[in-house]
C-alpha cells in the first residue's frame, strides 16, 4: 500500500526538524550579514547620491544571476558546505535592503531635516534620531523582502551539501516521490509565511519599541546559526556526501541502513560536485557511479558491494510505442549503438568530459568515427525527434551520440533537451510527449519507476538479463513504453573513497566500512 503524506511526515519527523533548523540557520546568518553590509551601503549612497546608481546597478545585476550558477561561482572560492550557500544568500538579500534603506532615508521630508539641523543636531544625531526612525518602516520592508527571498533560495543549498529543506525537495524530484517533495516544500512555504509575519510585526511597531528589542534579533540569528553548524558538524568519523536521489532509494542510503546497518550521517551533495569534494578531502565517502571517469582521474576506489544491494544498471533508450510507429526509422537507428559501449569504454568517454573537460559533442563524434558509425547529416525533413537526458555528463554524451546517429541515418530533424534533472523529470517529460526518448537504466526503471515488492526485486536482480526482461515487460504493460536494445555498459551505484585513505583504513568493501564505523 502506498505511504500517505502524513505517514511519511511522522516517519521522517526527526529529519524534517533537522532540515528546518538548517534552513533557518542559513537564512538568518545570511540575513544578518546582509543587514550588516546593506544598511551601511544604503546610508552611504543616501549621502553620496553619485554612488547610488552604480551601487544599486551592481546589486541588481548580482540578483539576476541564476541561483544555481551563483552557487557554482562560489564553490571554487569557498568549497562545498554552508559557506558558499551563505555567501550566495547574502548576495540575493542585498538589493532590497540597500534600495529600501536608500529610498527610506532619501524620502524624509527636507523641512524636517532643516528643522533638525537648526536645533544643532550633528550628522550622527540627525541619522539616529530623525532619519532612521522615519525611514524604519521602509527599511524593515526591505529586510522583510530579503528574508522571504532567502527562505526560498535556501532550498538550493542542498546542491552544495549545506543542508536545508531542499534535500527532501530535490530528492523527491529525482525519485518521483511526491511525499518527499511536499515534506520539503510545505515546511519551506510555512517558514516563508512565518518569517514574513514576524518581520511584519516589527515593521508595524514604533521605532522606540524596535530599538528596545533590536538586540534580540542578532541573538536569535546567532543561536539559529549555532544550532545549524552544530547539526552540520555532529557527524561520524568519515564525512559522507550522497546525492539527493541516492538518499531516498532502496538501492541507496535506505538499502545501506537496512542491509548493511550502515548509517554514515551523510550530507546531501550535487553529483556534479561530489567527486571533486572527495578528491580535495572535503568528503571521505560518496555515492558514485561505477563508470564515472573521475574515479580513474582522481585515483578513487569503488568499495565492493559484498551484500549486493546495487542491482544491474544497464543503459538503454526508452521510447513510447506510439513514437516508434510515428518514426519508423527510429528504432533501427537507435539500436545501432547496441553492444557498442562496454564499461571501460563508457568510463573513458566520461573521463574525457568529466576530467579533460572536452565537450560532449566532440567526444561523441570521435567515438562514432572510431567505430565506423559516423555519417554526415542528411537533409532534414519536417519530422522532429526530441532527445532528453538527465543532468550528468554520461547522459549528455549519449544524447549527442544519438543525435548524430539520427541525423546521419534518417531524414528527421533532432532537438536535444538535456539536463532535465532526475528520473522523475525525464520520465514525466517522456510520458507528456515533451521528449520522444531518453537513455535510462534498468535498475532505475525497476526500483524508482516500477517499485515492485522486495521478493520480486530479489528474483529479477539475479542477472542483468532478468532485470532487463522484467522492466521491458512491465513498462509495456504499465506505460506502453519500450526499452530498446541495451547499449552494453552497466553504470551501477557505488560507494567511493580515496584509494589512499581506504588502504590506510583497510577498507575494501561496504562491510569493512560498516565494521570500521561501528568499531568492530
Amino acid at each position: 500500500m502506498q505511504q500517505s503524506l502524513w505517514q511519511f511526515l511522522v516517519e521522517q519527523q526527526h529529519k524534517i526538524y533537522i532540515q528546518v533548523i538548517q534552513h533557518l540557520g542559513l537564512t538568518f546568518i545570511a540575513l544578518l550579514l546582509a543587514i550588516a553590509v546593506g544598511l551601511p551601503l544604503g546610508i552611504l549612497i543616501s549621502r553620496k547620491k553619485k554612488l547610488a546608481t552604480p551601487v544599486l546597478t551592481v546589486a541588481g545585476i548580482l540578483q539576476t544571476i541564476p541561483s544555481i550558477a551563483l552557487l557554482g561561482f562560489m564553490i571554487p572560492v569557498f568549497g562545498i558546505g554552508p559557506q558558499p550557500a551563505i555567501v550566495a544568500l547574502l548576495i540575493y538579500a542585498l538589493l532590497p535592503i540597500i534600495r529600501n534603506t536608500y529610498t527610506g532615508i532619501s524620502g524624509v521630508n527636507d523641512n524636517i531635516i532643516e528643522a533638525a539641523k537648526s536645533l544643532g543636531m550633528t550628522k550622527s544625531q540627525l541619522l539616529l534620531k530623525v532619519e532612521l526612525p522615519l525611514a524604519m518602516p521602509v527599511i524593515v520592508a526591505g529586510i522583510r523582502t530579503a528574508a522571504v527571498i532567502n527562505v526560498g533560495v535556501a532550498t538550493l543549498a542542498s546542491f552544495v551539501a549545506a543542508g536545508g529543506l531542499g534535500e527532501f525537495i530535490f530528492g523527491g524530484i529525482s525519485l518521483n516521490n511526491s511525499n518527499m517533495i511536499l515534506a520539503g516544500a510545505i515546511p519551506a512555504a510555512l517558514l516563508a509565511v512565518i518569517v514574513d509575519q514576524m518581520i511584519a510585526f516589527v515593521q508595524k511597531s514604533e521605532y522606540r519599541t524596535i530599538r528596545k528589542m533590536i538586540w534580540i534579533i542578532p541573538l536569535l540569528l546567532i543561536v539559529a546559526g549555532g544550532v545549524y553548524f552544530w547539526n552540520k558538524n555532529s557527524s561520524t568519523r568519515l564525512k559522507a556526501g550522497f546525492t539527493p536521489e541516492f538518499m531516498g532509494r532502496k538501492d541507496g542510503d535506505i538499502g545501506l541502513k537496512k542491509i548493511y546497518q550502515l548509517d554514515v550521517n551523510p550530507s546531501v551533495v550535487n553529483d556534479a560536485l561530489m567527486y571533486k569534494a572527495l578528491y580535495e578531502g572535503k568528503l571521505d565517502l560518496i555515492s558514485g557511479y561505477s563508470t564515472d571517469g573521475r574515479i580513474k582521474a582522481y585515483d578513487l576506489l569503488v568499495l565492493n558491494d559484498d551484500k549486493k544491494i546495487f542491482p544491474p544498471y544497464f543503459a538503454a533508450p526508452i521510447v513510447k510505442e506510439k513514437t516508434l510507429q510515428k518514426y519508423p526509422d527510429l528504432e533501427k537507428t537507435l539500436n545501432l549503438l547496441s553492444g557498442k559501449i562496454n564499461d571501460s569504454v563508457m568510463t573513458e568517454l566520461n573521463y574525457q568530459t568529466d576530467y579533460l573537460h572536452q565537450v560532449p559533442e566532440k567526444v561523441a563524434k570521435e567515438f562514432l568515427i572510431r567505430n565506423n558509425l559516423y555519417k554526415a547529416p542528411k537533409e532534414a525533413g519536417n519530422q522532429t525527434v526530441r532527445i532528453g537526458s538527465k543532468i550528468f555528463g554520461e547522459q549528455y554524451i549519449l544524447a549527442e551520440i544519438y543525435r548524430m546517429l539520427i541525423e546521419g541515418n534518417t531524414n528527421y530533424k533532432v532537438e536535444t533537451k538535456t539536463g532535465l534533472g532526475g528520473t522523475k523529470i525525464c520520465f514525466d517529460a517522456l510520458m507528456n510527449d515533451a521528449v520522444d526518448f531518453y537513455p535510462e537504466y534498468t535498475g532505475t526503471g525497476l526500483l524508482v519507476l516500477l517499485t515492485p515488492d522486495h521478493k520480486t526485486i530479489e528474483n529479477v536482480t539475479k542477472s542483468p538479463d532478468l532485470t532487463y526482461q522484467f522492466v521491458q515487460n512491465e513498462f509495456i504493460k504499465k506505460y506502453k513504453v519500450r526499452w530498446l536494445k541495451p547499449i552494453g555498459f552497466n553504470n551501477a551505484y557505488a560507494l567511493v573513497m580515496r584509494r589512499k585513505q581506504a588502504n590506510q583504513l583497510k577498507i575494501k568493501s561496504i562491510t569493512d566500512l560498516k565494521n570500521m564505523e561501528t568499531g568492530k
Side-chain angles (χ1 to χ4, degrees):
M1 190 174 72
Q2 191 171 7
Q3 190 180 36
S4 70
L5 174 61
W6 178 250
Q7 288 172 325
F8 183 85
L9 292 174
V10 171
E11 182 182 291
Q12 300 289 331
Q13 57 182 312
H14 178 66
K15 191 171 181 181
I16 292 171
Y17 164 75
I18 291 173
Q19 289 186 9
V20 167
I21 294 297
Q22 292 173 348
H23 206 93
L24 285 173
L26 287 170
T27 300
F28 286 154
I29 292 170
L31 186 61
L32 178 61
L33 294 173
I35 293 170
V37 174
L39 194 61
L41 268 177
I43 294 170
L44 174 65
I45 63 176
S46 71
R47 295 286 185 265
K48 299 184 182 297
K49 303 286 186 182
K50 289 182 179 179
L51 293 175
T53 299
V55 169
L56 290 172
T57 300
V58 170
I61 291 171
L62 288 173
Q63 197 172 50
T64 62
I65 299 173
S67 40
I68 292 291
L70 188 59
L71 285 169
F73 293 145
M74 296 296 111
I75 291 164
V77 180
F78 299 100
I80 63 169
Q83 291 87 351
I86 290 169
V87 173
L89 292 173
L90 159 66
I91 289 171
Y92 276 114
L94 279 178
L95 179 62
I97 295 174
I98 296 172
R99 184 175 55 200
N100 280 43
T101 302
Y102 169 71
T103 303
I105 293 175
S106 299
V108 175
N109 191 291
D110 290 339
N111 293 329
I112 297 174
I113 300 293
E114 288 302 319
K117 287 179 179 178
S118 67
L119 292 172
M121 283 189 177
T122 63
K123 288 183 179 180
S124 60
Q125 287 174 326
L126 180 64
L127 176 67
L128 295 173
K129 295 182 180 296
V130 178
E131 291 175 310
L132 282 180
L134 293 175
M136 191 54 66
V138 179
I139 294 171
V140 175
I143 294 172
R144 182 179 176 183
T145 301
V148 174
I149 289 172
N150 273 9
V151 171
V153 176
T155 56
L156 297 172
S158 63
F159 275 98
V160 291
L165 291 162
E167 291 189 4
F168 270 136
I169 294 172
F170 295 109
I173 290 171
S174 297
L175 290 164
N176 196 20
N177 188 326
S178 57
N179 286 342
M180 285 184 73
I181 297 171
L182 292 172
I186 291 173
L190 290 174
L191 285 180
V193 172
I194 292 168
V195 168
D196 179 67
Q197 290 306 305
M198 286 172 61
I199 300 177
F201 171 76
V202 175
Q203 189 178 2
K204 293 172 185 175
S205 302
E206 293 183 0
Y207 182 64
R208 280 180 294 182
T209 306
I210 295 174
R211 285 187 66 182
K212 288 179 182 178
M213 60 187 295
I214 199 72
W215 63 272
I216 299 175
I217 297 173
L219 180 62
L220 289 174
L221 298 178
I222 291 167
V223 169
V227 172
Y228 168 78
F229 280 106
W230 181 82
N231 270 291
K232 290 302 293 178
N233 293 326
S234 57
S235 59
T236 57
R237 282 177 290 174
L238 292 181
K239 294 173 290 184
F242 294 163
T243 64
E245 185 161 355
F246 190 84
M247 288 291 289
R249 293 178 66 125
K250 293 177 182 176
D251 61 333
D253 192 47
I254 294 172
L256 292 175
K257 290 173 181 175
K258 183 176 179 180
I259 307 300
Y260 285 97
Q261 285 78 52
L262 175 66
D263 186 358
V264 290
N265 192 24
S267 297
V268 174
V269 62
N270 181 260
D271 54 6
L273 309 174
M274 59 185 179
Y275 288 95
K276 196 166 189 295
L278 179 64
Y279 174 69
E280 293 176 348
K282 295 181 177 73
L283 294 172
D284 301 309
L285 177 74
I286 63 169
S287 58
Y289 307 100
S290 61
T291 59
D292 198 289
R294 287 163 292 191
I295 293 174
K296 168 186 173 182
Y298 295 143
D299 192 28
L300 306 178
L301 177 69
V302 173
L303 301 187
N304 179 33
D305 175 24
D306 45 313
K307 294 187 179 179
K308 307 299 180 190
I309 67 166
F310 302 132
Y313 276 84
F314 281 86
I318 61 172
V319 55
K320 282 184 175 180
E321 290 189 308
K322 69 176 186 180
T323 303
L324 293 175
Q325 294 168 6
K326 181 179 178 181
Y327 304 102
D329 295 329
L330 185 60
E331 181 175 1
K332 178 179 68 176
T333 303
L334 297 184
N335 281 339
L336 289 173
L337 197 61
S338 174
K340 296 294 191 298
I341 303 179
N342 59 25
D343 291 5
S344 61
V345 171
M346 194 69 246
T347 299
E348 180 60 30
L349 296 179
N350 285 331
Y351 173 76
Q352 291 173 34
T353 56
D354 294 335
Y355 188 69
L356 300 181
H357 303 300
Q358 296 180 12
V359 294
E361 296 92 333
K362 181 176 184 292
V363 173
K365 186 174 181 178
E366 289 177 351
F367 164 80
L368 290 173
I369 291 171
R370 284 196 305 273
N371 288 272
N372 299 316
L373 290 173
Y374 181 78
K375 293 181 181 178
K378 291 185 176 182
E379 184 177 346
N382 296 323
Q383 290 182 298
T384 302
V385 176
R386 295 154 301 171
I387 308 172
S389 86
K390 300 183 186 182
I391 192 166
F392 57 94
E394 180 171 289
Q395 291 259 319
Y396 287 100
I397 296 169
L398 293 175
E400 286 301 320
I401 289 175
Y402 282 127
R403 177 181 67 80
M404 292 176 190
L405 284 174
I406 294 169
E407 289 177 342
N409 290 277
T410 75
N411 296 113
Y412 304 140
K413 294 179 184 177
V414 183
E415 290 180 4
T416 56
K417 297 189 176 184
T418 53
L420 292 177
T423 300
K424 176 177 171 53
I425 295 175
C426 269
F427 191 70
D428 284 352
L430 179 71
M431 297 307 294
N432 294 328
D433 296 320
V435 299
D436 294 307
F437 75 92
Y438 75 94
E440 189 52 278
Y441 304 90
T442 53
T444 299
L446 175 70
L447 296 174
V448 177
L449 298 172
L450 294 177
T451 62
D453 57 57
H454 182 68
K455 186 175 181 181
T456 302
I457 293 171
E458 279 191 340
N459 289 335
V460 303
T461 55
K462 290 178 180 177
S463 77
D465 289 340
L466 284 174
T467 306
Y468 176 80
Q469 264 328 126
F470 181 82
V471 296
Q472 171 73 293
N473 295 335
E474 292 300 310
F475 266 65
I476 290 174
K477 285 192 289 185
K478 192 171 182 179
Y479 303 117
K480 305 298 182 189
V481 167
R482 289 232 350 244
W483 287 72
L484 301 188
K485 292 180 180 180
I487 297 169
F489 68 92
N490 176 29
N491 187 7
Y493 269 124
L495 289 191
V496 183
M497 294 180 66
R498 291 185 297 281
R499 186 181 301 277
K500 184 177 180 181
Q501 184 185 31
N503 290 341
Q504 288 172 346
L505 296 173
K506 298 180 180 178
I507 296 174
K508 295 182 179 179
S509 67
I510 301 177
T511 296
D512 292 340
L513 176 66
K514 163 65 170 59
N515 292 338
M516 191 218 73
E517 286 290 309
T518 55
K520 289 184 180 179

